[in-house]
Amino acid sequence: MKRIAVYPGTFDPITNGHIDILRKAFDMFDEIIIGVAKVTGKKTLFNVSERAELCRKATEDMPKVKVQEFDGLVVEFAKKIGAVAMVRGLRAISDFEYELSQALMNKKLSNKLDTVFFVPDYKYLYLSSTMIRQVVSLGADVKDLIPDCVEKALIEKFSEEEK
Ligand code: ADP
């Protein structure tokens, strides 16, 4: 049986921290589906198709990784795609409470679905999409923290906003 995992999130935009988690999950599963949430309760910089497209471009060299948009409960999406596990990243302590409560709630909603956590390389421990959006909007060069396609998309987006 093919072992499929879902890696859900907002990915606004995908960063090298997310990619590091994907690479760590790589050997454990036959396929990893990045689930890009349509509605997240957060106002996003990129719309869902832009976020999904950047995920696709950034993982072009990872044949086991696929990208899909989803709406609603992540456990329903996981069921639909036949996922046996959910992948999440754990950064500094701040992620822990939130991730633990999400994992427990998801387990309650779908007893078959377990959450697997990966800790990123220390380089990415304090990296977030929010931080990337903030500093790039102010002109910072953070090439080593984001894929090239994301850097390009951010620069374009901020120059459009200035017009
Ligand atoms: P969400 O809106 O669900 O927080 P994100 O797209 O921000 O979605 O993150 C998706 C998952 O990736 C979460 O588990 C988050 O903790 C993890 N993640 C985000 N950035 C990093 C990073 N730099 N290192 C490791 N994990 C990360």
Side-chain angles (χ1 to χ4, degrees):
M1 200 183 83
K2 206 164 157 188
R3 295 182 60 79
I4 301 173
V6 59
Y7 182 24
T10 312
F11 302 100
D12 186 37
I14 188 165
T15 69
N16 288 351
H18 294 119
I19 299 207
D20 189 56
I21 297 298
L22 280 169
R23 293 204 191 280
K24 288 181 166 51
F26 220 60
D27 294 334
M28 228 180 255
F29 301 100
D30 301 310
E31 191 171 306
I32 303 175
I33 299 187
I34 298 181
V36 182
K38 284 189 187 166
V39 182
T40 66
K42 307 175 189 168
K43 191 185 173 318
T44 58
L45 176 66
F46 293 101
N47 68 35
V48 66
S49 44
E50 290 170 328
R51 285 183 275 130
E53 196 45 37
L54 287 173
C55 287
R56 269 183 210 107
K57 279 192 196 149
T59 57
E60 257 168 9
D61 63 335
M62 301 168 91
K64 282 187 189 175
V65 176
K66 306 234 156 46
V67 182
Q68 282 191 36
E69 298 169 18
F70 78 98
D71 217 354
L73 285 175
V74 69
V75 291
E76 293 302 327
F77 175 61
K79 222 179 268 174
K80 198 176 95 192
I81 60 175
V84 294
M86 180 142 94
V87 167
R88 297 287 287 176
L90 264 191
R91 287 164 293 187
I93 335 162
S94 52
D95 273 345
F96 184 76
E97 288 261 337
Y98 174 75
E99 290 293 341
L100 186 64
S101 61
Q102 280 292 115
L104 290 172
M105 179 52 84
N106 285 331
K107 182 75 181 172
K108 180 177 163 50
L109 297 176
S110 174
N111 193 38
K112 287 196 194 127
L113 192 73
D114 273 300
T115 305
V116 182
F117 292 105
F118 291 91
V119 174
D121 193 278
Y122 72 92
K123 292 197 289 285
Y124 309 124
L125 212 48
Y126 286 94
L127 175 63
S128 67
S129 301
T130 308
M131 184 77 85
I132 289 294
R133 292 194 305 272
Q134 279 173 353
V135 300
V136 177
S137 77
L138 298 170
D141 178 350
V142 284
K143 273 193 184 55
D144 50 339
L145 298 177
I146 46 178
D148 290 347
C149 61
V150 169
E151 189 197 18
K152 197 164 155 260
L154 280 167
I155 291 170
E156 263 167 34
K157 181 68 86 181
F158 291 127
S159 68
E160 265 168 35
E161 280 185 355
E162 268 170 26
K163 279 177 203 161

